[in-house]
């Protein structure tokens, strides 16, 4: 897809995500809106994956470590052909495969279960190291939240990745400055993130994580630095694309009422008209 097509797809994903949250009466819509552009670029431009063969040994691996944003991943997977788009309507319903956090044993295209924060990056380091040991060229990409980077397990993984020279690993930090109930700056402020990752031996780039051109440029394979894992600090807005949700901590897992849903959907529809 070209940039305009990617922007349109991201908007489609946001609309479907919004409707699913409204219908289910639950979800983590703020963080889903902030990460949607990143997911869209990965699945429709960057990752070497095949929905017809989701366990291909040569596929790229992607882990959504901020697993509470699972719905955005499910919608993206449905648009990419991994699951039936109609299945999105079952989100959080009894016996649905589409739980509040991704489950590898149930959903094609999900590489590992996530939910407890701080697990995705350590697992990704193991995947990237396995590729190196096997002489394979597939890449591993993981998205964490910025609040999630307060977890000590991430920093142990960061040290290990640098020690092993995992230049086939990319960490994307969804830096929307908000976590559940508070701003990052008011809890355990780990910003600025770039100098910390650089001090551990990573190659680091900062981008606007809601700008499709910047995302695609940063994720291009040409940006790999030999011998160094990469970190992309993606500055995003929680609730991006919806005026009253944007940069608003209340929308971590709030559900829109009927009037709010109507306004939000109108704004998303207007954005592509």
């Amino acid at each position: 897809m070209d940039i305009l097509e990617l922007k349109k797809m991201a908007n489609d994903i946001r609309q479907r995500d919004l409707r699913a949250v409204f219908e289910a009466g639950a979800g983590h819509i703020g963080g889903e809106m902030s990460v949607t552009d990143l997911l869209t670029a990965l699945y429709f431009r960057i990752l070497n994956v095949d929905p017809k063969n989701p366990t291909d040994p040569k596929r790229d691996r992607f882990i959504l470590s901020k697993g509470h944003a699972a719905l955005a991943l499910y919608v993206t997977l449905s648009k990419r052909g991994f699951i039936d788009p109609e299945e999105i309507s079952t989100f959080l319903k009894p016996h649905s495969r589409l739980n509040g956090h991704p489950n590898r044993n149930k959903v094609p295209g999900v590489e590992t279960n996530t939910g407890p924060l701080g697990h995705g990056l350590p697992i990704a380091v193991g995947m990237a190291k396995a590729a190196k040991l096997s002489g394979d060229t597939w890449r591993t990409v993981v998205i964490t939240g910025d609040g999630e980077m307060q977890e000590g397990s991430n920093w142990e993984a960061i040290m290990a990745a640098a020690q092993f020279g995992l230049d086939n690993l990319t960490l994307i930090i969804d830096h929307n400055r908000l976590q559940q109930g508070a701003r990052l700056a008011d809890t355990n402020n780990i910003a600025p993130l770039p100098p910390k990752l650089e001090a551990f031996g990573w190659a680091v780039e900062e981008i606007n994580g809601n700008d499709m051109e910047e995302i695609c440029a940063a994720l291009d394979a040409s940006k790999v630095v030999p011998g160094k894992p990469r970190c992309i600090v993606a500055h995003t807005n929680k609730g991006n694309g919806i005026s009253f949700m944007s940069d608003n901590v209340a929308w971590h897992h709030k559900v829109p009422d009927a009037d709010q849903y109507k306004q939000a959907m109108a704004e998303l529809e207007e954005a592509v008209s």
Side-chain angles (χ1 to χ4, degrees):
M1 287 188 174
D2 63 27
I3 296 298
L4 289 177
E5 291 171 326
L6 289 168
K7 289 180 178 179
K8 174 63 167 59
M9 178 59 70
N11 189 281
D12 289 346
I13 291 170
R14 283 191 169 92
Q15 289 184 47
R16 188 63 187 94
D17 186 292
L18 170 64
R19 180 157 69 91
V21 168
F22 179 68
E23 292 172 347
H28 290 81
I29 194 166
E32 289 156 11
M33 295 294 123
S34 70
V35 81
T36 293
D37 299 302
L38 297 165
L39 291 173
T40 303
L42 285 166
Y43 276 93
F44 291 92
R45 178 112 164 195
I46 302 298
L47 294 175
N48 177 26
V49 292
D50 182 0
K52 296 180 180 179
N53 187 13
T55 59
D56 180 357
K58 302 300 183 182
R59 72 191 183 280
D60 289 336
R61 272 65 164 178
F62 170 72
I63 297 175
L64 181 66
S65 190
K66 47 174 285 180
H68 53 280
L71 179 56
L73 177 60
Y74 298 151
V75 176
T76 304
L77 290 173
S78 75
K79 296 286 188 181
R80 188 66 173 82
F82 284 89
I83 58 178
D84 187 338
E86 294 300 315
E87 191 172 359
I88 300 300
S89 296
T90 73
F91 177 60
L92 296 181
K93 290 184 178 179
H95 310 297
S96 173
R97 297 191 298 175
L98 308 185
N99 300 323
H101 294 87
N103 189 324
R104 186 187 191 282
N105 298 313
K106 295 183 177 182
V107 184
V110 173
E111 293 290 349
T112 190
N113 297 22
T114 54
L117 298 176
H119 288 193
L121 180 56
I123 294 170
V125 168
M127 289 178 171
K129 179 62 173 175
K132 288 288 188 182
L133 291 171
S134 301
D136 289 323
T137 58
W138 48 266
R139 301 165 65 186
T140 301
V141 180
V142 56
I143 293 180
T144 68
D146 50 4
E148 181 181 2
M149 293 304 295
Q150 296 166 348
E151 297 280 356
S153 53
N154 283 320
W155 297 95
E156 294 178 20
I158 286 166
M159 285 189 285
Q163 175 68 27
F164 298 143
L166 300 181
D167 51 15
N168 57 346
L169 172 66
T170 299
L171 163 64
I172 305 172
I173 302 176
D174 182 14
H175 194 11
N176 61 30
R177 305 171 306 283
L178 300 172
Q179 58 193 115
Q180 180 173 315
R183 290 190 168 273
L184 189 72
D186 297 329
T187 55
N188 182 10
N189 191 9
I190 55 174
L193 287 158
K196 296 176 176 64
L197 272 294
E198 289 169 346
F200 279 97
W202 284 55
V204 184
E205 181 175 357
E206 290 186 86
I207 65 168
N208 177 345
N210 296 131
D211 183 291
M212 196 61 71
E213 291 189 45
E214 290 193 28
I215 295 168
C216 291
L219 287 169
D220 190 84
S222 65
K223 290 294 189 77
V224 171
V225 177
K228 286 191 173 187
R230 291 197 72 229
C231 175
I232 298 171
V233 179
H235 295 271
T236 64
N237 283 313
K238 203 151 193 163
N240 190 68
I242 301 171
S243 60
F244 60 89
M245 293 186 190
S246 185
D247 199 35
N248 187 334
V249 70
W251 288 98
H252 181 78
H253 49 50
K254 187 177 178 181
V255 177
D257 60 28
D259 289 338
Q260 290 170 326
Y261 171 74
K262 183 178 180 179
Q263 177 184 341
M265 189 63 75
E267 289 183 7
L268 292 174
E269 291 172 348
E270 176 68 21
V272 293
S273 62

